[in-house]
Amino acid sequence: MFTAAPQHLFTVRDLLRFAVSRFSEAKLFFGHGNGSAWDEAAYLVLHSLHLPLQQLEPFLDARLLPEEIARTLALIEARVTTRKPAAYLTQEAWLGPYRFYVDERVIVPRSFIAELLPTALEPWIEYPELVHRALDLCTGSGCLAILLAEHYPDAEVDAVDLSEDALAVAAINVRDYGLEQRVRLLPSDLFGAVEGESYDLIISNPPYVDAPSVAALPQEYLHEPELALGSGEDGLDITRIIIETASQYLNPHGVLVVEIGHNRAVLEPQYPELEFTWLDTSSGDGFVFLLTREQLLEAGF
């Protein structure tokens, strides 16, 4: 195992440079919140030193204590040798300004839906106060359910997941945000536990990686629960169930929002009777679709 010589590292800038070189040399994959070796290095160094994550510049030339250097080098080396996503090493993940506890019982949060709530849905949901009940399918860490509660202050939120382990992590996050009275966590295979319920808004970031892509995933992804990644040969088994069932659980004028990754070209030909609305995200307009209850009923679902 590579060992750094701490006597040659003195400042935050030194550690950043070392980390970027180390990560690049190791050919790490970055797909869990940070997009490059630099972003990952900055996050891990600032986290290890208990410094504000958005304020790197003022601290670049600060000289560090030996124990701070040793702690940060250990974290850098763990990222290289274990190939674990940084979120598992720090036990936190961020969606915008929102921090969530994570560990290897849940997938690392990285949903485009987070950036769409609530303003991108305003053409269909005119005021946040109109959402009284919301459902998050495949909630994982509970992050999207919490964002629903934060952005729709009058909403009661149901959050379901097939994994009891994931729900245990979600419970930590719900408690951290003080939302125990508004977010209900339910073990369920999709709609099974909410029979007879109806919602103004249903969202889902389900497993959607197709089988060939699952087989070729970088090592970082293999630390995540397999249940949370793949969904059949084309990645859309769960998405099809949601599309063909959701109208039964939506109120009049209710809205369904689902993330499906890079599967738009596969999904649309399967449902020619549906006019999907593809929402604009930071990576383009082909990753998250919206359908209304009325559209689903008109298409026979």
Side-chain angles (χ1 to χ4, degrees):
M1 183 178 74
F2 183 91
T3 303
Q7 65 267 28
H8 299 303
L9 302 171
F10 303 103
T11 66
V12 172
R13 190 187 301 273
D14 292 339
L15 286 175
L16 281 168
R17 198 286 307 160
F18 172 77
V20 172
S21 296
R22 189 78 180 99
F23 294 165
S24 298
E25 175 191 36
K27 295 180 171 58
L28 299 184
F29 184 85
F30 308 103
H32 294 87
N34 297 313
S36 67
W38 167 260
D39 290 341
E40 190 100 318
Y43 167 67
L44 287 175
V45 169
L46 290 169
H47 175 89
S48 177
L49 297 174
H50 308 294
L51 293 172
L53 297 182
Q54 304 303 323
Q55 296 183 20
L56 176 60
E57 188 67 30
F59 305 105
L60 277 173
D61 295 309
R63 292 178 67 89
L64 303 173
L65 298 171
E67 56 267 30
E68 292 178 315
I69 294 171
R71 183 174 69 240
T72 305
L73 288 176
L75 187 58
I76 292 167
E77 198 63 19
R79 177 66 180 92
V80 171
T81 57
T82 68
R83 283 303 209 270
K84 289 184 179 181
Y88 290 151
L89 298 175
T90 63
Q91 294 195 319
E92 70 173 19
W94 294 81
L95 289 176
Y98 294 90
R99 177 192 178 278
F100 300 99
Y101 171 84
V102 296
D103 60 34
E104 290 173 71
R105 292 175 290 178
V106 295
I107 195 170
V108 177
R110 49 183 182 275
S111 176
F112 289 118
I113 293 175
E115 66 187 62
L116 297 172
L117 297 174
T119 54
L121 305 186
E122 285 177 359
W124 298 272
I125 301 173
E126 189 173 3
Y127 303 107
E129 295 78 12
L130 294 176
V131 178
H132 300 288
R133 301 210 65 216
L135 173 64
D136 177 22
L137 293 168
C138 309
T139 193
S141 62
C143 57
L144 292 181
I146 289 166
L147 293 183
L148 284 172
E150 290 281 304
H151 292 310
Y152 299 101
D154 292 339
E156 294 181 354
V157 180
D158 285 344
V160 306
D161 203 286
L162 188 60
S163 167
E164 295 273 8
D165 283 342
L167 291 174
V169 173
I172 295 171
N173 288 313
V174 169
R175 184 170 62 249
D176 285 348
Y177 279 89
L179 291 170
E180 298 96 324
Q181 301 306 309
R182 292 183 53 213
V183 177
R184 183 172 62 154
L185 300 173
L186 299 168
S188 180
D189 187 355
L190 296 178
F191 296 100
V194 295
E195 282 294 330
E197 304 283 359
S198 60
Y199 303 93
D200 304 301
L201 174 60
I202 297 174
I203 66 168
S204 185
N205 181 24
Y208 54 65
V209 183
D210 63 51
S213 297
V214 167
L217 284 172
Q219 191 173 345
E220 278 81 355
Y221 289 94
L222 303 183
H223 293 281
E224 296 188 295
E226 185 178 354
L227 185 68
L229 294 171
S231 183
E233 185 62 27
D234 65 359
L236 294 171
D237 283 1
I238 292 175
T239 299
R240 281 188 286 270
I241 296 172
I242 293 171
I243 289 173
E244 294 166 20
T245 312
S247 67
Q248 303 171 37
Y249 299 90
L250 284 167
N251 291 324
H253 309 295
V255 174
L256 171 69
V257 177
V258 181
E259 181 169 336
I260 62 161
H262 296 275
N263 291 326
R264 176 177 178 175
V266 178
L267 178 69
E268 283 188 311
Q270 297 181 22
Y271 295 98
E273 64 275 71
L274 282 172
E275 187 175 347
F276 293 91
T277 297
W278 296 94
L279 301 174
D280 289 327
T281 72
S282 56
S283 291
D285 64 357
F287 300 95
V288 180
F289 69 76
L290 179 148
L291 292 165
T292 66
R293 175 178 181 267
E294 287 67 32
Q295 285 178 304
L296 291 166
L297 290 174
E298 288 172 9
F301 298 119

